[in-house]
Amino acid sequence: GIRYYEGDYKKAFEYWSKAAALGNVVAHYHLSILYHNGQGVEKDEKRALHHAEQAAIGGHHMARHNLGCEEEECGRMDRAVKHW
């Protein structure tokens, strides 16, 4: 995590990718942010959504919130409220 805060997004991506492969939900959440923002990786909303979903399934509350926001932006309020 410290690499991210130092601005070394590529190194943070490497560490979080390894942790996510081992099932770490916090790592999935952070990967969703990197993909969403295009930090250290090419911006990819499909991958951002995948990692957010994995984190949310694992119980990460901010990932759950972000999924709700994504559903709201797409006009699917019935699905959005399920995440909040």
Side-chain angles (χ1 to χ4, degrees):
I2 188 117
R3 298 291 182 201
Y4 177 84
Y5 297 107
E6 291 176 347
D8 189 351
Y9 303 123
K10 289 185 181 198
K11 188 59 86 172
F13 175 78
E14 288 178 34
Y15 288 130
W16 283 328
S17 293
K18 290 176 185 177
L22 296 172
N24 185 295
V25 296
V26 174
H28 277 293
Y29 171 74
H30 286 294
L31 287 173
S32 75
I33 300 301
L34 290 179
Y35 278 115
H36 177 76
N37 294 332
Q39 295 172 306
V41 294
E42 187 173 328
K43 189 171 183 164
D44 187 329
E45 289 301 325
K46 187 174 181 177
R47 287 185 179 176
L49 183 60
H50 165 76
H51 287 290
E53 287 173 343
Q54 292 302 305
I57 288 168
H60 196 282
H61 71 282
M62 287 301 298
R64 199 67 202 265
H65 171 80
N66 290 352
L67 286 175
C69 292
E70 180 69 25
E71 295 291 359
E72 179 187 29
E73 287 177 17
C74 293
R76 297 185 293 256
M77 285 303 293
D78 57 319
R79 293 178 66 168
V81 297
K82 293 178 182 178
H83 292 292
W84 300 323

